[in-house]
Structure formats: C-alpha cells, structure tokens
Amino acid sequence: MIDLRNIRPYGDQTNDGAVQLSFTLPLEYGPLAREVAKKFCENLGFQDIVIATMEDLGENFTFFVVYGKTNMSIDATAIKVVAPKFKKMSRDQLDELVEKEFGRKIVVVGATVGTDAHTVGLDSILNMKGFHGDYGLERYRAFKVYNLGAQILPLELIKKVREVHADAILVSQVVTQKNVHIKHLTELIDMLYAEGIRDSLLAIVGGPRITHELALELGYDAGFGAGTLPSDVANFIVQELLKKRFR
Ligand code: B12
C-alpha cells in the first residue's frame, strides 16, 4: 500500500529508497576519480553506494553511474503542480468545437528561436505524424500550421505572425546551457510587446527543461516540458483562445 505522505524511490522493494545517479567528474579515469565519486554520493546522503559504471570520457573527464539508497521521503499531498490547465477532448471534438465557435482554422506559427537548432521536439508537436502515437497539430482540421524550422530570429517570426494573422506562436528551446534559453525567450517576448502584438496572441514555449512556472515568469501563456503530447497543446490552445476570445 503506497502512503502518499511518505513517497520514497523504488528499486527492488517498495520504499527501499534505491536511486540511480549519473554524473561526470573533471578528473582523470582512475582510483582517485572513483573515490571522489563515492565521497560525493556519501555527502549527498546516500548509503550502500555501488559504482555501477565508470567510463573514461577522455581529456581528464570520467563518467559515473552510481546506485545508492536514501532515507529521504516526500509528502506528495503537500506538492502543488503548476501546469497548463485544460480539459482533455478528442481530436474530433476539438475540430467540431473550433468549427462551431470560430468558423475558421486556428493559425499557429512555430519555430525554434535564437541559436537553437533542435527541431525534433517542435516537429513532434506540429507535424502530421505527431509523437508517441498522438497526432500532431497538422492532422487536426482545426489548425493551420506554419512551421518555420530552426534558428529563427524574433523579427522573422513576428513578420510571419503578422503575415498570416497568427492566433498562437509556438517556440521551442532545447539548449539551456548558460541559461541561453532565458535570453532567447526574453528577447522574443520583449519584441512582441515592442511591436504591440503580445496581447493579440498566445505565446507558448516548450522543451525538455521548460516548466509552466518558468514560462509564466518570462511572460508566456504556457510552458510544456518533456513528454508533452500534441493533443495537450491542441487542447490548451483552443480552450485558452475561447477564454480570451482574441479576435
Ligand atoms: C538530436 C539532438 C541533436 C541534433 C538536433 C537535430 C534536430 N534537427 O533537432 C544535433 C546533432 C543537431 C544537436 C546539436 C547540438 N546539441 Co543536441 N541533442 C540531441 C538529442 C540527442 C535529442 C533531442 C531530441 O530530438 N529529443 C526528442 C524530442 C521529441 O524531445 P524534446 O526535444 O524534449 O521535445 C519534447 C518536449 O520537450 C516538448 N517540446 C519541445 N519543443 C517544444 C515546443 C513547443 C511549442 C511545445 C508545446 C512542446 C515542445 O514536446 C516534445 C514531445 O514531447 C539530445 C539528448 C537527448 N537525449 O535528449 C541532445 C541535447 C539536447 N543536445 C545538447 C547539446 C549541448 C547540443 C549542442 C550544443 C552540441 C554541440 N556542442 O555542438 C548542439 C547545439 C546545436 C544548436 N545550435 O542548437 C544537450 C543540451 C544540454 C543543455 N541542457 O543545454 C543535449 C541534452 C545532450 C546532452 N546531454 O548534452 N543535438
């Protein structure tokens, strides 16, 4: 029986606290690196530490996979999830709703902005074939999709938004090294305000390290992280536009 107020990781048995951790140390592959890795895990509070994998990455870097056990537990009933809110409707229901309420297609423009060249995540939301057996937005009658691809400058994106009278922009940010995603996302939102169009559309961001909380902080309407299904995004867009009734 799982006690929601006392959630601990599961390895072999319920509540055994078993954890697998991977990390890289800037140390030459060898006994010293191994002992440092072990000490590091001890200092993190892990017990029964086993170095399961140790790999030489070259140039004085060593990669580890370590097993350990923790006594820590979390009260899941005290956790608040900050996530985009929507009711899950089927593709047919959504298509019919848009036909009835808007009488036209909802126009979305997608791109990965700034220096980011990762397109797979965005494509999996927008392309016909979708992601994880869930069709992408192009498959819906309800959407007209413009996918601009990778490394798009904010001004290019805004030009397209104006040209096609977009209802929503969908931007992807996968690279987060040195917080570059914050810079790119802030630049875009600032430019939307400067151009006077921020309040006339939905601004949505996604990527493996994007949270809804961060997206709201940066001035976006929603943020979608790892494992997002296209139908989540489709539902959010339609229901949020209905709430706002932009145009
Ligand atoms: C494929 C890949 C590449 C390909 C990209 C090809 C392409 N056309 O996309 C290439 C080889 C070009 C590449 C290059 C680089 N990459 Co790379 N890459 C990956 C890799 C292996 C897979 C990413 C992927 O396709 N995931 C699958 C998709 C489906 O998942 P996803 O992106 O998370 O998308 C889902 C959600 O996040 C969300 N989502 C994503 N976008 C959007 C947008 C919207 C609007 C919404 C609603 C939702 C949404 O929905 C999707 C479905 O659920 C990852 C490692 C990994 N295993 O994740 C590294 C990784 C992302 N890359 C990384 C790095 C560092 C780079 C380089 C900087 C490497 C280098 N030194 O040159 C360059 C950067 C190039 C650039 N200018 O951007 C790092 C990023 C680290 C970080 N935290 O910043 C990773 C994590 C690898 C690593 N562990 O170091 N990469």
Side-chain angles (χ1 to χ4, degrees):
M1 187 66 171
I2 302 295
D3 174 9
L4 281 180
R5 279 162 305 174
N6 187 28
I7 293 292
R8 298 180 65 199
Y10 173 98
D12 293 327
Q13 291 162 8
T14 307
N15 285 345
D16 63 9
V19 167
Q20 176 182 307
L21 193 65
S22 68
F23 54 91
T24 300
L25 291 180
L27 286 172
E28 188 186 352
Y29 179 89
L32 177 65
R34 186 185 184 87
E35 287 312 307
V36 172
K38 215 169 151 195
K39 186 72 188 160
F40 174 67
C41 294
E42 274 169 22
N43 288 0
L44 285 175
F46 291 111
Q47 294 151 14
D48 299 339
I49 296 159
V50 177
I51 308 273
T53 301
M54 180 174 167
E55 278 175 26
D56 188 354
L57 293 184
E59 296 182 20
N60 294 331
F61 284 94
T62 308
F63 172 73
F64 293 91
V65 177
V66 179
Y67 300 149
K69 288 191 175 165
T70 175
N71 283 325
M72 205 176 66
S73 68
I74 299 290
D75 179 357
T77 63
I79 302 287
K80 281 208 174 76
V81 179
V82 185
K85 287 199 178 73
F86 54 87
K87 194 176 111 202
K88 199 80 189 235
M89 296 165 74
S90 72
R91 187 159 49 93
D92 283 344
Q93 284 174 323
L94 220 50
D95 282 341
E96 275 164 31
L97 182 66
V98 169
E99 241 158 57
K100 181 169 155 267
E101 294 294 333
F102 293 83
R104 63 171 177 86
K105 286 181 190 288
I106 287 170
V107 181
V108 305
V109 176
T112 76
V113 290
T115 52
D116 207 319
H118 295 83
T119 49
V120 180
L122 180 72
D123 290 346
S124 69
I125 301 295
L126 297 181
N127 283 3
M128 183 79 73
K129 71 174 191 273
F131 177 70
H132 218 265
D134 193 81
Y135 288 127
L137 268 55
E138 284 177 357
R139 182 83 185 208
Y140 290 68
R141 289 199 314 275
F143 293 104
K144 173 73 190 155
V145 176
Y146 295 89
N147 185 347
L148 306 189
Q151 297 190 329
I152 300 299
L153 294 172
L155 269 179
E156 278 178 76
L157 184 58
I158 288 170
K159 195 173 155 223
K160 193 71 185 179
V161 161
R162 286 195 189 284
E163 183 194 319
V164 301
H165 304 290
D167 298 291
I169 51 166
L170 277 77
V171 293
S172 183
Q173 286 290 273
V174 174
V175 176
T176 55
Q177 283 171 327
K178 298 187 181 163
N179 277 338
V180 68
H181 62 306
I182 310 268
K183 181 176 171 281
H184 290 155
L185 292 172
T186 307
E187 269 170 16
L188 175 61
I189 217 83
D190 286 351
M191 215 164 273
L192 288 174
Y193 276 114
E195 294 281 324
I197 55 172
R198 170 64 189 98
D199 294 331
S200 64
L201 46 69
L202 291 179
I204 297 171
V205 54
R209 286 170 188 78
I210 299 294
T211 62
H212 186 52
E213 210 169 5
L214 173 72
L216 296 181
E217 256 172 48
L218 297 179
Y220 287 74
D221 293 288
F224 288 87
T228 300
L229 295 175
S231 57
D232 295 340
V233 184
N235 273 282
F236 176 81
I237 293 173
V238 172
Q239 292 171 34
E240 199 63 18
L241 283 173
L242 273 176
K243 271 191 227 157
K244 299 200 172 181
R245 282 280 179 187
F246 282 143
R247 299 191 306 128

